[in-house]
Amino acid sequence: MILLAGGTGRLGTVLATRLTGHDLAVRVLTRDPARAGHLAAQGVEVATGDVRNRASLTPAVEGADVVVSAVQGFTGPGRVSPATVDYQGNINLIDAAKATGAQLVLMSVAGAAADSPMELFRMKHAAEEHLGASGVRWTIVRATAFFELWIDVLSQTAARSGRPVVFGRGDNPINFVSVTDVAALVEHAVTAPATRGRVLQIGGPENLTFNQLAVAIQAAAGRTTAPRHVPPLALRLMAQTAGRIKPELGRQARAALLMDRIRLSHDAGNARQTYPDIPLTPVGMCLAPKPKNSRLQAQ
Ligand SMILES: NC(=O)c1ccc[n+]([C@@H]2O[C@H](COP(=O)([O-])OP(=O)(O)OC[C@H]3O[C@@H](n4cnc5c(N)ncnc54)[C@H](OP(=O)(O)O)[C@@H]3O)[C@@H](O)[C@H]2O)c1
């Protein structure tokens, strides 16, 4: 049995489908079972729990051989935060896995480091450290930014005006990877004991600036108009004002400012040499229209 925390999310949904397709029993952890309806229909078991509540994890991990953490608290419903979900929530999951002897695969981020200016990257790193010291048998998967998330963000901001909104200058090269490629590597981490004790890095084939991604989105939609920008000054104001009342907004504004200047490019070559079977989906394929009932499109 595999317990998939974050199974209702963008990556988790693709991963759950892959695992059940290989006849593996999957249980998804969610705060709201209504969000897992599409997975229950595929034969996935659904457990209700919140990674911030250690007691709620005890029944969820019962009988699990491997626990996968694909949760994130950077954004989303329920007043989440990187400190409460990516750090403390992961600690709770690791401790719950330890109590039952389960192994654990942790989704982390490329660039996770104790001294990163990005809060999320520091919290992921702290969770990695706890896992390494826990005695649990582990694999860590560090991924770059998900293409599908940013394509959705930019496309949604273009919905009315036909012009995507880039937060900041948008001229820093960023590595984007498709969730389908990440799901393939996480599935390998779940099923291959040889990956225990290893940090697997995954990036996509392209380093693109947000401006370049916005132009690609415009071209795929048959539009030629240039993207709009929220200038850095407005982001700083947003972080200082709106961010005090709505922490998530402040976090997003601070992250946008950092994404303009910290190193987020990645050379995907090494991981691809180690795992030549993992796909390397280019942005053009991520931009191709998806079937109407696609869960990826719906998110
Ligand atoms: N998105 C990226 O660009 C990116 C890049 C690198 C790494 N990652 C990592 O990849 C993983 C998947 O990311 P994603 O973008 O696919 O996530 P997502 O679509 O935003 O989904 C987030 C998931 O986290 C779960 N979650 C959040 N707070 C929770 C809580 N308190 N208790 C239990 N579950 C909670 C949600 O479950 P419910 O709402 O159903 O409770 C949901 O399934 C994350 O670990 C993320 O940090 C993401």
Side-chain angles (χ1 to χ4, degrees):
M1 167 67 73
I2 292 143
L3 174 69
L4 183 45
T8 59
R10 197 176 290 272
L11 172 67
T13 289
V14 181
L15 181 59
T17 305
R18 285 187 75 100
L19 293 170
T20 51
H22 288 96
D23 276 346
L24 291 163
V26 177
R27 183 186 296 149
V28 157
L29 178 81
T30 176
R31 291 163 295 171
D32 178 1
R35 285 206 272 272
H38 61 296
L39 296 170
Q42 293 171 28
V44 167
E45 213 182 287
V46 178
T48 306
D50 187 319
V51 293
R52 294 168 295 184
N53 176 350
R54 169 68 180 83
S56 74
L57 303 179
T58 300
V61 296
E62 188 62 46
D65 305 292
V66 181
V67 173
V68 180
S69 170
V71 296
Q72 64 82 20
F74 178 78
T75 182
R79 293 173 176 271
V80 290
S81 70
T84 56
V85 174
D86 297 279
Y87 177 59
Q88 189 58 52
N90 274 324
I91 297 223
N92 291 340
L93 266 180
I94 293 162
D95 292 351
K98 183 173 183 173
T100 60
Q103 304 175 24
L104 194 137
V105 176
L106 175 68
M107 264 317 295
S108 186
V109 289
D115 60 353
S116 171
M118 192 84 85
E119 181 195 12
L120 175 69
F121 290 16
R122 292 195 303 276
M123 295 303 121
K124 289 288 197 193
H125 182 263
E128 291 182 1
E129 294 280 288
H130 184 85
L131 181 57
S134 66
V136 169
R137 294 191 68 213
W138 57 268
T139 306
I140 291 167
V141 178
R142 288 182 171 182
T144 59
F146 292 174
F147 258 140
E148 289 82 353
L149 167 70
W150 290 103
I151 288 170
D152 277 0
V153 168
L154 289 169
S155 301
Q156 280 160 16
T157 60
R160 274 205 253 162
S161 65
R163 294 176 64 198
V165 176
V166 170
F167 294 86
R169 289 190 306 273
D171 55 6
N172 190 27
I174 296 169
N175 187 272
F176 293 97
V177 64
S178 171
V179 287
T180 57
D181 303 0
V182 180
L185 185 61
V186 178
E187 181 190 351
H188 176 69
V190 168
T191 54
T195 66
R196 298 293 167 264
R198 295 184 55 194
V199 179
L200 314 181
Q201 295 260 6
I202 182 161
E206 282 137 308
N207 294 313
L208 294 175
T209 67
F210 274 129
N211 291 334
Q212 289 170 325
L213 184 58
V215 167
I217 288 168
Q218 290 297 76
R223 296 187 292 250
T224 52
T225 43
R228 296 169 290 160
H229 287 83
V230 178
L233 182 63
L235 290 172
R236 275 193 281 277
L237 276 174
M238 198 194 293
Q240 284 160 15
T241 53
R244 291 220 179 108
I245 301 150
K246 279 194 111 186
E248 184 173 336
L249 269 185
R251 208 156 46 234
Q252 286 170 346
R254 284 191 297 278
L257 286 164
L258 288 170
M259 288 182 90
D260 256 354
R261 70 175 177 82
I262 65 174
R263 186 175 176 274
L264 293 167
S265 60
H266 178 83
D267 175 7
N270 285 349
R272 301 309 168 159
Q273 276 165 17
T274 318
Y275 300 107
D277 295 340
I278 302 296
L280 199 60
T281 308
V283 65
M285 273 181 75
C286 297
L287 284 166
K290 299 193 176 59
K292 274 220 156 59
N293 61 355
S294 161
R295 174 74 183 165
L296 271 180
Q297 191 180 50
Q299 289 189 349

